[in-house]
């Protein structure tokens, strides 16, 4: 599923339906504090703006990080599902996931560059190891060609909010929680991601 279909074309989760997204509680538990994922995402965006020397460079950084973070999110999802299936070894699974971070980031960075080349070449690819997954980012081409920095800013902040939320859930909540594996279903994890993105998008309006 493309990044756009995954987030922008899904029905919005209404505020009164928070209780229908079981994992949303852990997101809102941080609200008002320094480690609230949305605030951390805004901080990351501001840091990125300071790093970029031009708006064109910022635009490129935003698109690159959006793709990287989206790919990373799939690894979080796989870990959460593995914890659900093997709750008795959840802490070792999390520790191993943390230990493998350097190799995982290397692989994701490589895939990100392949996708960036695909987008910059307007959907043309001579053949690369990520060809089978290019369609996941194909709809970004139109926004890249239009130079729609607002679109990528919104996507970046949403994806960063998801990443910080996933990290909190995995490293801070799950190790000490009992029976949490029961709500780590694929449906609940996807709804959690969508809920966070919708929250971020509404705050950015």
């Amino acid at each position: 599923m493309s990044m756009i279909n995954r987030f922008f074309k899904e029905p919005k989760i209404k505020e009164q339906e928070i209780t229908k997204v079981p994992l949303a509680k852990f997101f809102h538990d941080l609200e008002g504090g320094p480690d609230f994922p949305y605030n951390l995402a805004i901080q990351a965006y501001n840091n990125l703006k300071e790093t970029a020397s031009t708006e064109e460079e910022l635009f490129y950084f935003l698109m690159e990080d959006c793709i990287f973070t989206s790919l990373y999110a799939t690894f979080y999802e796989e870990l959460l599902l593995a914890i659900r299936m093997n709750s008795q070894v959840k802490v070792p699974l999390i520790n191993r996931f943390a230990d493998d971070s350097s190799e995982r980031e290397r692989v994701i960075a490589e895939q990100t560059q392949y996708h960036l080349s695909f987008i910059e070449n307007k959907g043309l690819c001579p053949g690369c190891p990520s060809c089978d997954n290019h369609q996941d980012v194909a709809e970004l081409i139109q926004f890249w060609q239009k130079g729609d920095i607002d679109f990528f800013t919104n996507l970046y902040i949403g994806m960063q909010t998801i990443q910080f939320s996933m990290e909190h859930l995995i490293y801070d909540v799950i190790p000490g929680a009992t029976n949490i594996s029961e709500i780590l279903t694929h449906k609940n994890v996807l709804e959690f991601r969508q809920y966070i993105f919708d929250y971020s998008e509404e705050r950015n309006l």
Side-chain angles (χ1 to χ4, degrees):
M1 181 184 293
S2 75
M3 290 172 66
I4 296 176
N5 282 328
R6 187 178 300 154
F7 297 112
F8 291 98
K9 294 183 179 179
E10 292 288 336
K12 300 301 180 192
I13 299 175
K14 297 178 181 179
E15 187 173 351
Q16 62 265 32
E17 295 181 339
I18 291 176
T19 55
K20 296 182 180 179
V21 183
L23 294 171
K25 172 188 180 300
F26 303 110
F27 173 70
H28 285 289
D29 280 347
L30 296 175
E31 199 163 8
D35 295 328
F36 186 48
Y38 177 78
N39 294 341
L40 294 177
I42 293 296
Q43 182 180 333
Y45 171 67
N46 289 332
N47 291 341
L48 194 65
K49 282 200 298 183
E50 292 179 4
T51 301
S53 56
T54 64
E55 186 170 278
E56 289 75 17
E57 189 173 44
L58 174 62
F59 185 43
Y60 186 87
F61 286 164
L62 287 169
M63 183 172 70
E64 182 178 39
D65 282 2
C66 284
I67 296 171
F68 183 94
T69 310
S70 178
L71 291 171
Y72 210 114
T74 62
F75 285 89
Y76 286 136
E77 291 174 11
E78 290 173 3
L79 173 61
L80 291 171
L81 295 178
I83 290 171
R84 172 176 169 76
M85 299 299 295
N86 305 276
S87 60
Q88 70 280 7
V89 290
K90 62 183 181 181
V91 173
L93 283 172
I94 292 171
N95 290 339
R96 182 174 178 180
F97 185 82
D99 291 341
D100 292 343
S101 61
S102 295
E103 175 61 18
R104 181 168 54 254
E105 289 176 7
R106 184 194 67 77
V107 171
I108 294 173
E110 187 175 81
Q111 292 175 351
T112 298
Q113 292 307 310
Y114 288 134
H115 285 325
L116 282 170
S117 295
F118 171 77
I119 291 170
E120 290 178 298
N121 291 326
K122 302 177 183 178
L124 299 176
C125 180
C128 76
S130 293
C131 273
D132 290 343
N133 297 315
H134 280 331
Q135 289 308 307
D136 291 346
V137 299
E139 289 187 89
L140 298 181
I141 296 172
Q142 59 182 308
F143 299 100
W144 166 257
Q145 289 183 303
K146 290 188 296 186
D148 192 343
I149 195 168
D150 290 338
F151 169 83
F152 282 103
T153 297
N154 189 43
L155 184 60
Y156 174 86
I157 294 173
M159 294 304 300
Q160 288 291 318
T161 305
I162 289 171
Q163 175 144 341
F164 286 121
S165 299
M166 289 290 196
E167 289 176 354
H168 169 64
L169 179 65
I170 290 167
Y171 295 113
D172 300 328
V173 175
I174 291 177
T178 57
N179 301 322
I180 194 171
S181 61
E182 297 174 2
I183 61 172
L184 296 180
T185 64
H186 188 240
K187 177 177 179 290
N188 284 344
V189 171
L190 292 181
E191 286 183 348
F192 183 50
R193 285 184 59 173
Q194 184 65 53
Y195 177 86
I196 294 167
F197 190 87
D198 290 345
Y199 176 96
S200 171
E201 188 177 23
E202 289 169 8
R203 287 286 294 270
N204 293 336
L205 292 178

